[in-house]
Amino acid sequence: DNLRKTIDLTIKEGLKRKIKVIIGGSMTKDMAEEWHADAYGQCASLSINVIKHLLQVEDFTPEKLGGGIITRVKH
């Protein structure tokens, strides 16, 4: 519940375009999309690739992102 509240607060305060919210582990991709997270990582090692991709440090194939886990929701 606190993750959802945090994401809602970033939207309310106009911070969503300035920061990236990435959830993972036991969270599901559907929850990430519903809560307007920017990305979802299936596990720690794939989450590193997701973070690098979001920050445009490296470009990864969908396989290296856990099957296309970038959800990027614009606000």
Side-chain angles (χ1 to χ4, degrees), residues 11 16-17 20 36-38 71-75:
I11 294 168
K16 195 70 175 80
R17 292 182 183 204
K20 301 293 182 198
H36 305 291
D38 296 290
T71 59
R72 288 192 189 210
V73 177
K74 303 283 184 192
H75 278 92

Side-chain angles (χ1 to χ4, degrees), residues 28-40:
T28 68
K29 184 177 178 182
D30 291 340
M31 289 171 97
E33 291 173 352
E34 178 186 333
W35 295 354
H36 305 291
D38 296 290
Y40 162 74

